[in-house]
Amino acid sequence: MTEQMTKIRACSADALEVGSVLQIELEDRDPIALYRISDGYYATDDLCTHGAAFLSEGDVEDDEIYCPFHAGAFDIRTGEATAAPCVVAVRAHPVTVEGDDVYIEISN
């Protein structure tokens, strides 16, 4: 079975500075965290896999996001857990920039 993807406009490209994160709220789905780091834009599910905390409320350091709940970390590019107590990856989502707009592809 092939997974269906939907492309949504997240924000304008200038809405995020390098080293920042923005929560993208979606209808009928948990929010997504949209990041801008030195080499581009990335997106993951916003809810930490370790505790009930939004990653978009955490700190971006280089290519990692630190959860505000227990300070575990995830790789922004891949969603992989990089620091305990986090061990389960967050889902990463493809991001594209078209003109002045940033789009995230999410599965249906």
Side-chain angles (χ1 to χ4, degrees), residues 46-57 67-70:
D46 196 19
L47 192 61
C48 179
T49 57
H50 175 259
F54 290 119
L55 297 176
S56 60
E57 295 174 2
C67 177
F69 194 48
H70 283 125

Side-chain angles (χ1 to χ4, degrees), residues 35-103:
Y35 312 90
R36 183 174 181 189
I37 57 176
S38 61
D39 66 348
Y41 297 85
Y42 297 88
T44 67
D45 284 350
D46 196 19
L47 192 61
C48 179
T49 57
H50 175 259
F54 290 119
L55 297 176
S56 60
E57 295 174 2
D59 294 321
V60 173
E61 291 183 24
D62 299 319
D63 61 351
E64 292 181 306
I65 182 70
Y66 285 83
C67 177
F69 194 48
H70 283 125
F74 299 90
D75 184 303
I76 288 170
R77 292 180 183 98
T78 66
E80 291 298 316
T82 58
C86 300
V87 294
V88 176
V90 291
R91 185 174 182 164
H93 304 277
V95 177
T96 56
V97 178
E98 297 176 16
D100 293 331
D101 297 315
V102 179
Y103 293 88

Side-chain angles (χ1 to χ4, degrees), residues 7-29:
K7 187 188 319 188
I8 58 148
R9 183 187 179 280
C11 64
S12 64
D14 61 0
L16 280 172
E17 294 182 13
V18 172
S20 62
V21 58
L22 177 67
Q23 184 182 72
I24 306 298
E25 294 184 23
L26 303 169
E27 230 178 273
D28 300 324
R29 190 187 192 293

